[in-house]
Amino acid sequence: MKGTVGELGEFGLIRELTSRLTTTPAVRLGPGDDAAVVAAPDRRVVASTDVLLEGRHFRRDWSTAYDVGRKAAAQNLADIAAMGATPTALLLGLVVPAELPATWPLELMDGISDECQVAGAAVAGGDVVRGDAITVAITALGDLQGRRPVTRSGARPGDVVAVTGWLGWSAAGYALLSRGFRSPRAFVEAHRRPEPPYAEGPAAAALGATAMTDVSDGLLADLGHIAEASGVSIDVKRAALDVPAQMTDIGQAVGVDPVDWVLTGGEDHAIVAAFPAKAKLPARWRVIGEVLGAGAGPQVTVDGAVWEAAGGWDHFGAPAG
Amino acid sequence: MKGTVGELGEFGLIRELTSRLTTTPAVRLGPGDDAAVVAAPDRRVVASTDVLLEGRHFRRDWSTAYDVGRKAAAQNLADIAAMGATPTALLLGLVVPAELPATWPLELMDGISDECQVAGAAVAGGDVVRGDAITVAITALGDLQGRRPVTRSGARPGDVVAVTGWLGWSAAGYALLSRGFRSPRAFVEAHRRPEPPYAEGPAAAALGATAMTDVSDGLLADLGHIAEASGVSIDVKRAALDVPAQMTDIGQAVGVDPVDWVLTGGEDHAIVAAFPAKAKLPARWRVIGEVLGAGAGPQVTVDGAVWEAAGGWDHFGAPAG
């Protein structure tokens, strides 16, 4: 595919984009009509929208179009999993400049489509318009398979807090990239292409998770959302956190406490949940803390104290009370 | 509400936006969690995404934020109706510059919310990010209530073609605005705030419509989509079109054949459908043409001849054959 988006034209681009898609039985009617039709077997649909902007959420010199597609899809599909649902379909709203090489949106779509396949979903429809800034607006849909949605508001004092997936890897990769490094690759790749543990969301719901969210703003910030919505406090045990030796090495090299990445780094899309203390958690879940009464107000602490650091913590704002 | 989006802050803006929303029983879980949960009573969900950009799809000096919201929601909700479905919910992805007055996104949301109410739907969730260009990405969801979705591909030779809603009004309003006029108000208002005939989509499905679409690109262009998808040709009878006397007056004033607006003007979001010839159409549907065999290839004609004009026709491209 040679030339620019402008040379290919709007209908030409849409034709090329849709020709690259695979589908699933859940997509009853795919792209090309006024709307798509997607199966919703349990008479409810879970739906989430996110918008990614070039410059703010991705950089073309740091990530390939394919990786941006993987990441954009992963971010939305993780939101579905974090409700305890299985992703079914995704819709894409795309803004592309006329002078953009046509390969860019096509490789973006390959990334989106491949990430959908990882999660068991498929692209069902979308819209493409020309504009100055590359904008990727994704809506993901999912199926609860008869389960209750696991919101942020059900955590109760006495619950354990557990996490599955990666924490801090994307932040460490970002720290490397922003200092001009391109390795160690595992961390750089983690920033470019997160790997949310999709299947663990529905599994956690089946295990009785009382509250759940994906870690997009940083562990403390996202636990803060659960604390606030549930009217509880949450204490994280620093010793329970997994800080890989290589992450410690990177931290020393760039002058950052790697625990800060684990606690405040977002974008890995790990899944964190509260479970009744008696729940038998599978090996992929790591218990990292406990749910406490709200006391003077909902807050998140690390070993009993407010974590003093930059990063995702700002999103949470000051603890109440 | 004083100040800018930047002064209000991301979380402040989201709080203000969600505080303005009304809801419906179909929205089982609204904004504030990782994802929304929306009822899908017949085990399927209809979903459509559209992206609107300032400058390309709306102008702040021509339309208020409220009107942009009404129009953005209407455009998506009409896509749901044109499948024969009833709109249930809408998700909003919004890009706003930091220096934008905070009243703008709030009034936009009022418009979106009010248009949802007209269609029987509610805002279920969304995402707000800061960026340079105002971008409104909307995903609408709907329920088929057990009906077969009416696609673009089922039109058969012998069917009649009928339309409901307004045609050419938005184009006439655009012609007025682009020449600096602000009246006649009915046409200017039609451009700022279309009124899709939401209820007629499901009604047409129940009446046995074989193919259906909303008129967003222009009647001929959108009939072209049906002709191509169905492998048929469609002939429109010029004498059957409704060209109001006032539209003729405007056409004379600005030097445009008003029939051109009716045939090629988009954005009114009328609904056009093919029906079996024996279908008893209610008074709100106007028969404007017939479905023919494809002959040398699918095409749309007016009184048997290709319509020679600018506008929406370009979108369809050259007739095949």
Side-chain angles (χ1 to χ4, degrees), chain A residues 28-172:
Chain A
R28 304 288 180 80
L29 181 68
D33 221 295
D34 291 312
V37 181
V38 178
D42 93 342
R43 302 179 188 272
R44 296 168 297 177
V45 63
V46 178
S48 177
T49 289
D50 274 314
V51 181
L52 278 80
L53 286 180
E54 182 178 8
R56 173 143 188 198
H57 300 100
F58 61 88
R59 287 176 52 160
R60 271 192 282 161
D61 54 341
W62 284 8
S63 295
T64 64
Y66 179 82
D67 284 345
V68 173
R70 291 289 296 251
K71 189 170 185 166
Q75 174 176 334
N76 266 269
L77 296 164
D79 280 327
I80 301 301
M83 298 301 290
T86 299
T88 51
L90 180 151
L91 295 102
L92 168 67
L94 181 61
V95 181
V96 280
E99 64 275 17
L100 187 70
T103 49
W104 202 92
L106 299 179
E107 287 166 19
L108 175 89
M109 186 58 108
D110 288 343
I112 290 172
S113 186
D114 283 358
E115 190 68 23
C116 278
Q117 278 197 276
V118 171
V123 177
D127 188 25
V128 180
V129 303
R130 277 190 228 158
D132 293 334
I134 301 181
T135 308
V136 183
I138 287 184
T139 300
L141 306 178
D143 173 34
L144 283 161
Q145 300 173 316
R147 288 181 299 271
R148 192 178 45 81
V150 185
T151 66
R152 298 172 177 175
S153 60
R156 296 162 308 183
D159 285 351
V160 297
V161 173
V163 68
T164 186
W166 310 100
L167 285 176
W169 288 61
S170 178

Side-chain angles (χ1 to χ4, degrees), chain A residues 34, chain B residues 75 78-79 82 152 212-217 222 269-272:
Chain A
D34 291 312
Chain B
Q75 174 175 334
D79 280 328
R152 297 171 177 176
M212 183 155 59
T213 191
D214 79 309
V215 180
S216 51
D217 295 337
D222 289 303
H269 302 289
I271 296 179
V272 64

Side-chain angles (χ1 to χ4, degrees), chain B residues 21-96:
Chain B
L21 297 178
T22 55
T23 190
T24 67
V27 177
R28 302 287 179 82
L29 181 69
D33 221 294
D34 291 313
V37 181
V38 177
D42 91 341
R43 301 178 189 272
R44 296 169 297 177
V45 62
V46 178
S48 178
T49 289
D50 274 314
V51 181
L52 278 79
L53 286 179
E54 182 179 6
R56 173 145 185 195
H57 299 99
F58 61 88
R59 286 176 54 161
R60 272 193 280 161
D61 54 341
W62 285 8
S63 295
T64 65
Y66 179 83
D67 284 346
V68 174
R70 293 287 298 247
K71 188 170 184 167
Q75 174 175 334
N76 266 269
L77 296 164
D79 280 328
I80 302 300
M83 298 301 290
T86 299
T88 51
L90 180 151
L91 295 102
L92 169 66
L94 181 61
V95 180
V96 281

Side-chain angles (χ1 to χ4, degrees), chain B residues 179-228:
Chain B
R179 286 163 176 83
F181 297 108
R182 292 290 179 274
S183 65
R185 286 189 62 82
F187 293 89
V188 170
E189 286 301 307
H191 178 70
R192 290 179 173 144
R193 198 188 297 180
E195 295 182 10
Y198 298 117
E200 300 303 325
L207 286 165
T210 56
M212 183 155 59
T213 191
D214 79 309
V215 180
S216 51
D217 295 337
L219 179 66
L220 293 178
D222 289 303
L223 284 177
H225 299 145
I226 288 181
E228 208 159 76

Side-chain angles (χ1 to χ4, degrees), chain B residues 71 100 138 156 175 190 198 210 222 240 247-248 253 258 281 293 296 301 314 318:
Chain B
K71 188 170 184 167
L100 188 70
I138 287 185
R156 297 163 307 185
Y198 298 117
T210 56
D222 289 303
M247 196 185 287
T248 302
L281 301 185
T301 51
D314 290 333

